[in-house]
Every structure is written in C-alpha cells, then in structure tokens.
Amino acid sequence: MTQPRKRRDDQTALARLTDELVECIHCGLCLEACPTYVELNREEDSPRGRIYLMRSVAEGRAALDGSMLHHLDVCLGCRACETACPSDVKYGLLLEHTRTHIEEAAHRPVWQRLGRRLLMEVFTHSATMALAMFFATLPSRLLRNPPSAPGGIVSRIMGAHGDGGNLRLERFPSPRPSRLQRLTPAAGGKKLRVGLLEGCVMPVLFPEVNMATVRVLSKLGCEVVVPSGQGCCGALHVHNGYGRQAARMALRNMAVFEAAQCDVIVVNSAGCGSTMKEYAGLFPEGSPEREQAAAFSAKVRDVSEVVAALLEQTELKPVEMTVTYHDACHLAHGQKIRSEPRRMLSAIPGLQLVDLPESDHCCGSAGVYSFTQPDMAVRLLKRKVTNIESTGAEVVATGNPGCQMWIRSGLKLEGSSVRALHPIEIVDLALDGATTSGDSPSRH
Amino acid sequence: MDVDRKGSPSIMLPSADTRTAPGETASNTALVRDLAAIVGSENVCSTTAERMVYESDGFTMARRRPAAVVHPASTAEVQAIVRLAASRGIPFVARGAGTGLSGGAMAPPGGIIISLTRMRRILDIDLRNRRLTAEAGVVNLKVTQAVAAHGLHYAPDPSSQSACTLGGNVAENAGGPHTLKYGVTVNHLLGLKMVLPCGELLDIPGETEDNPGYDLPGLITGSEGTLGIVTEVTVRLTPLPQKTWTALAVFETITDATRCVSSIIAAGIIPAALELMDANVIQAVEAAFHFGLPLDAQAVLIIELDGLEAGLDELGARVRGICESHAVRELRIARDEAERTALWMCRKKAVGSLGRLAPSHCTQDCVIPRSALPEVLEKIGQIARDFDLRIANVFHAGDGNLHPIVLYDDRDEEQVQRVLECNAAIVRACVEAGGTITGEHGVGVEKLEFMPLIFSDADLATMDRVRAAFDAQGLCNPGKLLPGGGGCADLVLNKKAAV
C-alpha cells in the first residue's frame, strides 16, 4: 500500500502485529479447513473469527475476557488455515503472539497458570517427564491394569471438563529416558554429517524411533552426531505463550549445534522441526540473534526430507504391510512437507500405501492441547480413528511423537488392531534394522 | 419509505450498534434465555466476543453486532426461533458461512442472527432422477464431492464454493465461472423448504419439474433472505462432461483479451467458462500459487470448453484461431487434470490472494453487455487513476460480469471514503454502458443506493409489495435488497464504521 499505516503506541505483543492481522480479508475460505470449526460450526471457533478477536483486542475494541480467552484457547494451533488461506496470513505467528499476550495480560486462575507452567516443565525435560510418566502409570502397574496415565486429572486441574485425556500406553515407561550415543559413524562412505535433535518426548515414550532414525541415517551414509548440551526446542513454549523462554532455548540449541559442525540438523518430530525452522521469529527484527537463527534454520530438515532423497539409490528389503499415512499438522501445514514421507514409504517393495481420508485433519494431540482441551481433543481423535479404520490398513504412519502417542491411545481405546508407527521405523525394517518393537504386532 | 432515490454517494455504514446500548443487557438476558430454551444454551452466542465475530460477512465495510446468534439444528427449531422473534418484534437474518460480498448477512438493528451452519446434513441422494436434497448449511463443494464418484456434479460453482453454503447460494442466486454454460443457482433448484417470517413452513417438493402456480422457488432464489429462511433444498445434479479442454491465453493488452471474448461468443461458441484476470491479479495469484503465469502480461483468459469428446479438439482449434486473430501471445492448454485444477485454483482463490497486495479490498460486481467490455474496462482504469486507488480485475468475461476489486487500507478513514466514491463511480459507468448493478453478489446493503439507477419507483414499489406479502411485520432481513423495504430505512450513515 502507498498509504502509511497508523501505529498504536501500545507495544504489547499483539499490538505489534496489527499489520499482519489486517492481512486477513475475511473471505472465509479457511472455515472448512479448521478442525474446530468443522466440529463446532461456529465463527468464533474458526480462524477468521479468531483473527477478528485478536484484531479487536489489538485495536483496543474489546477486552480479553473469559469468553474471548475460551475461544482462543480452543484453537489447536494446527495451522490448517494457513494451507487454505489464499492471502498467506501467518496464522501460526499471530496465534503465538496472541498467546504470549494472553499469558502476560489475561486473568487466568492461579492454579491454571501453575498447571500450565508445570505441563511446560514436565514435557520439555525428558528426565522430569520420564519420572512423571513413571509415577503417573504407577497406579495401573500396581493394579495390574494395562499401562495408562490419568491425563484427565491434569485436565481438570487446568479447568477443563471431561476426562477424555487419559493416555493408554504401549508399555510401562522406564523412570529414566534412554539416551542415544553421541556419535554413530556412517556405514560405507560418509555422505553427510548430520546433527540429530534427541527431543524431550522421544527418549521417554519412543526411544525406538530415535534408535531407528540413527540406524537409518547411518546405513544411508550419514555420520550422526547427537550433541550433548542440547535441550528442548521450545515448541511447546512458543505455542503456549512463553515466547521468551522459547528464545532462550533456541539460543542454547543454536550454540550447541553450531559447535557440532553438521551439514544438516535432522529432526524426527514434526512439531520440533517446524519450530526450529522458525527460530528467527523469536527474536526482534534487525537483531544479530535473528540472523543467526535464520542461518541455523536453513540447516534444519525433517528426517523424511533427508531420507527420501538418500533412499533413491538404495536397495530395500520388501516389507509386506498395508500402511496409511497421517499428515502431522506441523509437517503438512507448518513445514509444507507432504510428499517426502509418502515417497519414502512408497519406495519400499511390498508395502501398500493407502490414502487416509482427511489425512491432514488434526488428530487433537496438538502439544499439550489434549490436556488443556480434552473434550475437543477426544472428538478429533475419534474422527481420526474412524478414518484410519476405514482404510483397512494395518499400520498408520505419522511423523510426530504427539500424534503417535495420541492416535495409539485412541486406537487402543477403540479396541482397534491398527498400529501407529513413525515412518522411519518402517524404513528401518526395509533396511533390515532391529525389530521395531515399540508396538509389537502380537498385541492383544 | 423516505429514501434518497437519487443515490447519494454514501452507503449506510452502521456502527452505533457495535457498542452495547444502555438497557441491552437486561433485554438480551431474557432473549438469550428464551432462545436457549429452544436450542440449548450451548447453541446461543451471547457474550460480546461471540457476537462480535458475526458483525460482518465477507463485505467488511458495513458492520453491526447482533443482539444474539442462535444455532438451530433443524427446520423445527428455526420455526420456533422465528415465531419467538415475530412475537417480540425482533428482526432476524439467516447466515451461512458468511462469505457473502454485499453485507446480506449482517444483523439488522437490534436483531438476531440465525446461523444455519449446524444444519449440514445431506439428506437424500437420488441418482436415478439426478437430484439431491440437503440442509441449507451444507457447503456447496460437498454436494459435488458426494456425487462425483457417480459421474455427477452440482454445477453452480461460486469461487467461495469450498466454504459457502447452499442456503446462501439460494439467497444470492449464486453463480460462478461455469454458469456461462450451465446457468446459475435458480436453474438448478428443484424444490425447497422455507420458514416464512411468521414461522409457518413453505414446502415446495422437488419431485417434478414445472410445478403449476407461481414459481415460488424462482421468486425466493435471489431474494437475499428477505422472504423467509430456506432450511432445505433439492438441487439438480448434472453429469460431468465427457471431456474438458482448458486453456490459458496470454494477452499484451486488456483490450485484446476483451475483444477476443466478444469474438468467441459471436462465433456461436459457448465455452463452459471464460474468465479474465488482469496484471494486478496475475501478480497476486502467481505469488500465492506459483502456476507460472506471465508477470509481464496485461491480461490472461482462462477458456474452458467441455462436452462430448468427439469434436472438442476441433472446437479448441477454432478458439485458438480466434485468439490468434486477437494477437494472443501464448495459448497454453492444460495437459492433465492436475494442471487444470491448479489453473482453476488460481482463478477461484484469486480474490483471496489479493490480501498480498493490500490489507483490504472491496469487490465490485456489475454486469455489462459483452460488447462494451473494452471501453468499460478502460473507463474503470481511468476511475482508478481519478481516485488514486489501485483496482484489480478478475471476472467472468463470458457473461460480461465484472469484478473490479478496489484495494485499500481500511484503517485509513479518508481512503475508505474514497473507496466508497470510487465504487459508486464504477457502478454508474456500468449502468451507463447499458449494464446492471450486480451480477451475483446481490444488493445486500452495499448496492441499496444504486437500485433506483436501474428500477423505477413503480418497479421498486411492486417489489416492496411482494416482500410485504411474505413479511408483513418487516422483520425478515430488513434494510437489505430494497431501498425502502422492510420498514428499516433509518439505517444510519456512518463512515467511521468501516474499521
């Protein structure tokens, strides 16, 4: 535009975003892409409605009251609206800043604030998380029940209704996270030096996915470094309104991976990868950190990006399996990665890849959403499980631990025999890796 | 009704109601309680935040906050709500996805919005008779998706078809790129259920064609929600064409492109679609979808032919010849369905992608005789320069249905006023060229002031009487479509409201 834009004096996280907020031209093409709109059919639970609310707060036309907070909290942050938006509105960014503003300015009951902080701390430190999971599953262990963690209690503390957030796990977790070795040499000639993000959830709930990732990368000619000193990527923080902490975490990872001198930084968790590709947004424009972050992000790859390319010249063993693929939101919408994981799976002889209806519709896991909004999370999970069952596949593959945990839990809840695996575990099978046992086929 | 029929350059932009009026809370509480008794409290929006998001539809220059928003799940619930409103004298309006572009779904003063988005069931698919019955809140595209496997589709395809609802399509008599050959909504509507403004149900079955008596579906289609609330429709399903030929024709000047349009039609060819995008639109669309549109061209045409396989390529060759005689720079034929879909996505999401060029836009919708295309487009270019505004053109060239889109920043009040005046100038230019004030977006509140440009006092009075025959109390979407209609001529002019 030729006209200068008016600026507000008030420099809250939200007010700074007015220019981005007005990029929404209210066309409504995002509505049917939004999982919460499709469930609730209400404007205030749609991306367009939420942007309208954000804008009205930023422009001082409305107060951030309980009702507004509720509708902003119901947003999954799945960013399916970004895929649908013809105007390229950066909804994810708007939501992150709005949530930072909410945590700074809105009134939440003290226990909810504490509960939120606690969730952040637990899920972003694998040692703490392993202990928490150990104790959470203790009752079911003592009662000789199948392993489950009572997420519903957490949800109620957070002020939510319903108890649908209970997690049904594959096995009782170990009280200590399982770590990867710091350096794994490339098998055969070294093509790349790859830094791997170990993650917070992976070493506790899916150590087998991390191990499969290392095996696959190594067999495909990558030297794999897992630098010590790395920490949480900050995704949960930035998605839930703790932008400053996220920036600190980003700086730490940037330094650690910089020192490790890798060609690329590989991430096997969609949510983490998406955040690490957007580190620059955590720092003010023009700051040196922002530039460093951009350079760091340029090296970040989802594991499927690296593996799909390397697989092309590799001979694979047949894996007789019918697989369907669920697009993790932060891969499909956050990183625009859809074809690589499918290409990776299609390359495996004997494997039949079948389409999943609504494959890029959020499963409801969405970070800590399944704890903070269990009702909607469970509605979306049931929809996802029904779609998965309709394909007749034996396995649903998905590239994000949150989805894998939540979908696996949903499949168990519905008594389904479908297994939820990370695509890299299936590639590992085709490369004759160790058995991916996290989800043994002989389940009952 | 004392309305300025000369058409002042101002449009009514109500804003007073966006604040809570004194006493609103008490009466609202009672209203919300009674609505909740019908649909359940979880289906009534009553908080400020919840009501605020319904202030406008896709036309954001006029806004008004509803007193409440209610979400019924059945025709019976709609009837109960309408009866309640009628007994209290509360005006009401139905709303679907809120993608309308003339403010038709904006709440009347002190009124409520009856949102039909929960009524999204397809009730019956009758393949043998090629018809489908669905609730009004069903999204347009879902109809085609439901029957595509059987080789059928629902022909009216407005650009918002991935979001807009059948009820809204009926209210606006929605068109779309393919209406050039297949016709608009009214040509595909076989029957409907409509809740009358008194709460009674009008049920016109869609089993047979050509019902005797007045053509009520014909009257109701395009009535912009002023005659009642359509809750269910039976629509015609159309076989998918055996073959489709889609081409992108690139021109150095808009005049070449528009002359080419006239020549194609004059040659007796009826394309399935014939769409034009100008340089501004090409820029935005290319940035959004990377189709490979030429950024230095002044205009592109999307030309689609469809029908029986035999003869289609020959027809394509004729079209190519006509394009060449109008100095076409390049004619690119879509190789496969994927390329065709990508090209159509550029067209259908073109308006949305303009958010890349400016924070706000206002889409005009006028129809002119096709032969007048070259000079009217030149006139519009001149108007843009006169008002110092940027105008993008993307439109259904085959029907002469223009969509000049004025780009602006709605936070700048002076600019908003210029946009309003610029719009008025465009509409006048189209009317002077023998055209009319709206093709498919409807009159809503946006075009009210222009109705006297094309209708005489007697015409408008007749329409007022038709409306009164359905809605004696004047409660059903008052203040829309007819300048004096519905007892609501007191809508205030307020330029500040366009925030």
Side-chain angles (χ1 to χ4, degrees), chain A residues 21 52 56 64-65 73 87 102 138 173 190-191 223 272 326 336 400 407 427 438:
Chain A
L21 285 163
Y52 202 85
S56 64
L64 195 52
D65 61 7
D73 281 349
S87 280
I102 286 172
L138 206 52
K190 180 174 120 181
K191 293 173 189 158
E223 177 181 54
C272 308
H326 159 71
K336 313 286 175 213
N400 189 52
I407 290 175
V427 176

Side-chain angles (χ1 to χ4, degrees), chain A residues 1-6 18-19 22-32 37-38 40-44 48-50 52-53 55-56 59 61-63 65 67-68 70-71 83-88 358, chain B residues 42-45 47 49-50 52-58 60 63 71 95 97-99 117-118 120 139 142 160 162-163 288-289 349 351-353 355-359 361 408-412 415 418 499:
Chain A
M1 281 311 287
T2 48
Q3 302 293 322
R5 288 171 174 180
K6 281 180 228 154
T18 342
D19 285 353
V22 298
E23 275 168 19
C24 170
I25 51 162
H26 222 252
C27 68
L29 294 189
C30 55
L31 297 180
E32 291 290 321
Y37 179 82
V38 171
L40 301 170
N41 318 137
R42 308 203 2 184
E43 183 76 23
E44 61 273 34
R48 180 176 65 173
R50 292 190 189 104
Y52 202 85
L53 293 178
R55 188 175 169 183
S56 64
E59 294 180 343
R61 293 206 301 140
D65 61 7
S67 169
M68 186 171 298
H70 168 75
H71 293 292
T83 300
C85 178
S87 280
D88 198 28
E358 302 183 344
Chain B
E42 70 280 13
N43 292 311
V44 184
C45 299
T47 68
E50 288 168 348
M52 177 191 285
V53 297
Y54 294 88
E55 280 171 1
S56 80
D57 55 16
T60 53
R63 301 177 189 203
H71 304 267
R95 184 185 196 267
T99 55
T117 47
R118 286 176 70 212
R120 49 171 61 212
V139 170
K142 302 270 178 193
S160 57
S162 60
F289 307 114
K349 294 197 168 179
V351 176
S353 71
R356 289 161 192 272
L357 302 185
H361 68 219
Y408 68 106
D409 186 337
D410 71 356
R411 292 165 297 180
D412 180 338
Q415 223 183 112
R418 259 193 294 144
V499 174

Side-chain angles (χ1 to χ4, degrees), chain A residues 148-166:
Chain A
S148 79
I153 294 173
V154 184
S155 304
R156 275 200 217 143
I157 296 169
M158 304 297 299
H161 306 287
D163 58 355
N166 290 339

